[in-house]
Amino acid sequence: TELGRPEADPGADAGASASAAGFRSSLSRSASQILGVPSQAGQAPTRQELIESGVPPREADAALVQAAELDLMALHFVRVLSLFSLLLIVVSITLMALWIWLVAAFAEANRKNDGRECEVPLRVWTIVVIVVWILRNFFKPCIDRLLCCWSPSANQRPPPRVQAKDGFVLLAEFVWVTCFGLYWISQDGQGDGLSCEEMAPTWFLAAKVYICFSTAATALFWLSALGLHGML
């Protein structure tokens, strides 16, 4: 092994190493272009190549140490990104299951109570949640085409007007689901009218669980996104 070159870790995860290969190859090509040192595709310049190109030995050692740190960072980034993707899938499936439970409990409560209202507007809240979820997951391309005059295509980044619309929808959904939802859930049973929990306990529980899980999932998503952005 040449001085300064990191040895391969026999216990490294093969799948993550393969995924990070493209990123390391890009770093190596960039380093070779900056240093002006010819190297083979996908390989970082060796210490001998750096010295032969006129780089002092101390600077060559420092460059190789930095390259090893970048390799390790790339490997950790791929692992964190894979974990984040898996977590996002689990959260999405759980949120969908809770949404289905909310819809079923809402329909059952309507059937049993003949459309009676309780003292907080939980019915309106539930209807808006159902409609927004359907529009977002099944009709978003149509909405983008009608409201923003934009037809999405593969590998095309949405224009600023579409991003602004998506940001507004996410903010409005968060305010409605979390802020208004938590407030009305906490106010149920405080007045003199029929409480939603007494009228339809399953529906009330489904709404409460959906609100709490949606709030936690939103916080987890933004914290993870900020963490990934910090790693970049």
Side-chain angles (χ1 to χ4, degrees), residues 188-230:
D188 185 63
Q190 302 296 322
D192 298 330
L194 178 63
S195 69
C196 296
E197 187 173 13
E198 294 176 352
M199 185 185 74
T202 303
W203 173 31
F204 185 84
L205 178 61
K208 182 188 295 186
V209 173
Y210 183 87
I211 293 170
C212 294
F213 188 84
S214 177
T215 304
T218 301
L220 178 64
F221 171 79
W222 285 111
L223 288 176
S224 301
L226 290 175
L228 290 174
H229 184 269

Side-chain angles (χ1 to χ4, degrees), residues 17-91:
S17 300
S19 301
F23 184 65
R24 293 199 301 267
S25 175
S26 177
L27 290 173
S28 300
R29 287 194 300 267
S30 299
S32 300
Q33 293 174 0
I34 293 174
L35 294 173
V37 179
S39 60
Q40 299 180 2
Q43 295 182 356
T46 65
R47 183 176 187 271
Q48 186 64 31
E49 290 174 341
L50 292 175
I51 294 177
E52 290 177 356
S53 66
V55 179
R58 181 175 298 180
E59 294 183 8
D61 292 339
L64 291 173
V65 170
Q66 185 178 10
E69 293 176 349
L70 290 175
D71 278 354
L72 185 61
M73 184 182 299
L75 184 61
H76 286 321
F77 178 77
V78 171
R79 289 175 175 172
V80 171
L81 186 60
S82 301
L83 180 61
F84 174 72
S85 301
L86 179 62
L87 184 62
L88 186 61
I89 292 174
V90 173
V91 169

